[in-house]
Amino acid sequence: MRVEHWTGAQVHDRADDLAALLTDTVAAGASVGFLAPLGHAEAVAWWRERAAATAAGRLAVWAALDPADRVTGTVGLAFPDKPNSGHRAELVKLMVHRSARGRGLGRLLLTTAERAAAAAGRTLLHLDTETGSPAEQLYRSAGWTVAGTIPDYAASPAGELRPTTLYYKRLGG
């Protein structure tokens, strides 16, 4: 398994592969912003929009690839555009394909994004995740701190309103 930092052109060119990961993630019930069923064309269009943000430097994307060059996971860092927020970034869309779960790929992607953020001078990361989701254990075990919970924050892929838990992590000294 290898993890690569992708350019906007790579995200655009591999949008079909990234869309397969996204549709699998939604089909598995993960709350990543979409309702089920998520169509492949809609997922491709969403990733192509992310390609533009990546090319503009507002988003960094890493993709995990198996030996057959299949996208098995991804993670992103969204960078705020306000003058007073250059020290932080938001961790977004940490996804692992169902066929690749349970082997430490989520942890590898998380660590990759954290290290890249620190190397870019970011000292604070934040994220939100569905309360009670398996992702919470990953974030807590990686040293993320709970900031709070918001009820009825987002609809699950099945359309049920669910709470979200906000997390943050300080990087560096």
Side-chain angles (χ1 to χ4, degrees):
M1 193 68 57
R2 70 186 192 281
V3 176
E4 297 179 351
H5 181 220
W6 278 5
T7 64
Q10 287 171 299
V11 171
H12 182 275
D13 292 347
R14 298 288 302 264
D16 192 61
D17 300 325
L18 291 162
L21 170 65
L22 179 56
T23 57
D24 176 76
T25 302
V26 172
S31 181
V32 290
F34 297 90
L35 298 175
L38 175 60
H40 188 76
E42 181 183 353
V44 167
W46 185 85
W47 273 110
R48 291 219 166 115
E49 290 173 8
R50 304 294 78 72
T54 303
R58 295 185 312 270
L59 177 69
V61 174
W62 290 265
L65 303 158
D66 69 10
D69 205 40
R70 186 175 69 107
V71 175
T72 55
T74 188
V75 67
L77 288 174
F79 302 108
D81 61 356
K82 307 289 187 293
N84 70 344
S85 55
H87 66 289
R88 64 179 160 89
E90 180 180 7
L91 188 97
V92 295
K93 300 298 183 267
L94 174 55
M95 297 182 278
V96 175
H97 195 278
R98 284 181 280 188
S99 67
R101 291 185 186 162
R103 295 183 234 156
L105 182 53
R107 169 90 51 198
L108 175 61
L109 288 163
L110 180 59
T111 300
T112 297
E114 290 175 356
R115 287 180 179 161
R122 305 297 166 142
T123 58
L124 181 69
L125 294 178
H126 65 97
L127 64 86
D128 72 88
T129 193
E130 183 180 343
T131 304
S133 71
E136 282 198 286
Q137 181 177 346
L138 172 63
Y139 299 131
R140 288 177 188 209
S141 69
W144 288 70
T145 301
V146 173
T149 300
I150 303 172
D152 298 337
Y153 185 77
S156 70
E160 175 188 339
L161 289 180
R162 301 281 299 138
T164 195
T165 301
L166 306 174
Y167 285 85
Y168 69 91
K169 185 172 187 178
R170 293 186 184 276
L171 304 175

